[in-house]
Amino acid sequence: MSDSSHRPRRLRRNILIRDMVHETDLHLSNLVQPYFLAADKNAKEPISGFSAVYRWGINLLLEKVETDLKNGLKNILLFGAASPNEKNEAGSTAYEEKGLLPTAIRTLKEHFSESVILLSDVCLCPYTSHGHCGLVEGNEIENDSSLVALGQMALVHARSGVDLVAPSDMMDFRVGYIRDLLDEHGFDQTSIMAYTAKYSSSYYGPFREALGSAPQGTDRATYQMDFRNRTEALRELELDISEGADMVMVKPALAYLDIIKAFKERSSVPVAAYSVSAEYQMVKLMAAQGLVDEKKMAIENLTAIRRAGADILITYFAEFIAAGGWLK
Ligand code: PBG
Ligand code: ZN
């Protein structure tokens, strides 16, 4: 056979043939939009260094979600917040029934009931005065006492009607702990999306600005994963699945495609990937400089994450993809 009989370009000749042989798709049904909450009901607070992302008061969030649903985007991940005077050592505002996040869950479910899927962030860092995801004991982030607080938080969210709780703290055994607690209280239908391999990363910068949740003193390296490691992520995967996680997640996404791929090959539950704030903001900044086409780059990045094996994509672009019909 002559070399010239192999012509891969034949399948790239025009858009129809390329569409016919394309392998990877994005669907709105697999996208999750994160939203940040603000205390003032009518707030739309810009976040410095996080373009076109706001902290939303509940009245405006209701309108946002209504628009998202109309546009075909149904999955919303909610992050609470606490003002500096509401933060304390124990992070106890995290599990107040009247807190911002439980209130938002109840309000959204009253309005949209089964037509929206709500996910809630379960973590102490927005509520602790030290900004850590767990409770601090001397110089240590204490694992087992943190579980008690996280469990209470998950329970309050479940009572408020959330569909999935998403613990992002990276404490050991929190999936099993939360699963048991939810089941004991009759919430066996509330799912857990576990942040299974959440790396200690520079890619969270704009997010920490959004929540005012940068940790004091030490960084998060004693609980979030070391980015030099891959095998360790597989251990976390085994543990989270055995503890009853309904979905597992890799975070960040774009620099961690190998981990996503490894998860997809081994996981018996759906794999989510969180394309985090700096992944989003890098595209925004380059597009603002006229260096890249925002839409095209966002879709390329998300398609790559999906091609690596992610079933579910959490991305700040979701609302814009839906509103702009970027997938059509
Ligand atoms: C904290 C949390 C972080 C993100 C989600 N939950 C940041 C952190 O660990 O400091 C990052 C999300 C993003 O950057 O978009 N539990
Ligand atoms: Zn946290």
Side-chain angles (χ1 to χ4, degrees):
M1 215 185 310
S2 70
D3 281 341
S4 65
S5 69
H6 291 283
R7 292 185 182 274
R9 286 186 55 195
R10 280 198 289 261
L11 298 185
R12 299 176 201 142
R13 280 178 61 233
N14 62 42
I15 184 67
L16 288 186
I17 195 86
R18 290 195 295 276
D19 278 350
M20 185 187 183
V21 300
H22 86 285
E23 300 173 43
T24 311
D25 274 311
L26 294 176
H27 301 288
L28 286 180
S29 55
N30 304 124
L31 301 187
V32 179
Q33 171 67 40
Y35 282 129
F36 302 108
L37 298 169
D40 172 359
K41 288 187 157 96
N42 296 309
K44 179 183 178 182
E45 298 172 6
I47 301 159
S48 77
F50 209 165
S51 310
V53 174
Y54 301 88
R55 292 186 210 91
W56 296 100
I58 187 65
N59 291 346
L60 296 186
L61 185 67
L62 277 170
E63 290 174 21
K64 289 285 304 169
V65 172
E66 188 167 359
T67 306
D68 290 339
L69 295 177
K70 278 198 192 112
N71 293 334
L73 174 64
K74 322 268 182 182
N75 313 313
I76 307 290
L77 170 59
L78 296 172
F79 287 94
S83 58
N85 65 318
E86 292 168 328
K87 300 186 194 226
N88 56 46
E89 287 267 306
S92 62
T93 38
Y95 43 87
E96 278 171 7
E97 209 88 38
K98 289 193 176 131
L100 265 191
L101 182 44
T103 306
I105 295 168
R106 287 191 296 271
T107 312
L108 288 167
K109 276 294 175 185
E110 269 163 34
H111 279 76
F112 305 115
S113 129
E114 305 261 278
S115 57
V116 69
I117 293 289
L118 293 183
L119 300 85
S120 62
D121 185 62
V122 171
C123 200
L124 300 178
C125 55
Y127 310 97
T128 49
S129 41
H130 43 73
H132 277 291
C133 302
L135 303 180
V136 175
E137 194 72 52
N139 289 325
E140 300 275 316
I141 316 299
E142 239 284 308
N143 197 86
D144 296 13
S145 59
S146 300
L147 299 186
V148 179
L150 292 163
Q152 289 311 304
M153 191 177 181
L155 195 54
V156 170
H157 294 181
R159 277 199 191 106
S160 303
V162 84
D163 296 286
L164 297 94
V165 291
S168 63
D169 51 285
M170 287 301 278
M171 297 300 120
D172 289 336
F173 196 59
R174 89 278 203 212
V175 172
Y177 184 90
I178 290 172
R179 182 72 275 154
D180 286 349
L181 193 69
L182 292 178
D183 289 352
E184 271 168 35
H185 288 82
F187 296 107
D188 60 4
Q189 293 303 305
T190 308
S191 302
I192 300 177
M193 175 189 268
Y195 284 65
T196 299
K198 177 180 181 182
Y199 284 88
S200 182
S201 170
S202 294
Y203 284 89
Y204 307 145
F207 174 96
R208 290 179 184 177
E209 181 67 32
L211 262 64
S213 64
Q216 285 168 17
T218 55
D219 61 15
R220 302 201 205 281
T222 68
Y223 43 108
Q224 299 183 348
M225 277 191 52
D226 186 325
F227 58 73
R228 293 172 294 187
N229 294 352
R230 175 177 169 281
T231 311
E232 188 187 352
L234 302 178
R235 184 180 191 202
E236 290 282 7
L237 176 67
E238 276 174 24
L239 289 171
D240 279 1
I241 290 181
S242 73
E243 289 173 29
D246 297 286
M247 299 181 191
V248 292
M249 190 214 291
V250 175
K251 173 186 176 183
L254 211 42
Y256 296 81
L257 297 181
D258 56 328
I259 310 299
I260 295 171
K261 179 169 184 277
F263 271 34
K264 187 55 188 168
E265 284 163 358
R266 289 167 181 78
S267 177
S268 52
V269 298
V271 175
Y274 196 146
S275 184
V276 297
S277 53
E279 294 178 44
Y280 166 89
Q281 189 65 9
M282 288 196 295
V283 176
K284 284 298 220 187
L285 289 178
M286 280 191 287
Q289 298 262 313
L291 295 172
V292 299
D293 179 313
E294 173 182 341
K295 244 196 249 187
K296 284 189 176 168
M297 196 179 219
I299 295 296
E300 179 179 342
N301 286 347
L302 294 169
T303 304
I305 295 164
R306 189 140 164 86
R307 194 187 60 229
D311 300 300
I312 295 152
L313 302 168
I314 304 171
T315 169
Y316 300 96
F317 280 113
E319 57 163 320
F320 305 111
I321 293 173
W326 295 6
L327 300 181
K328 284 182 192 132

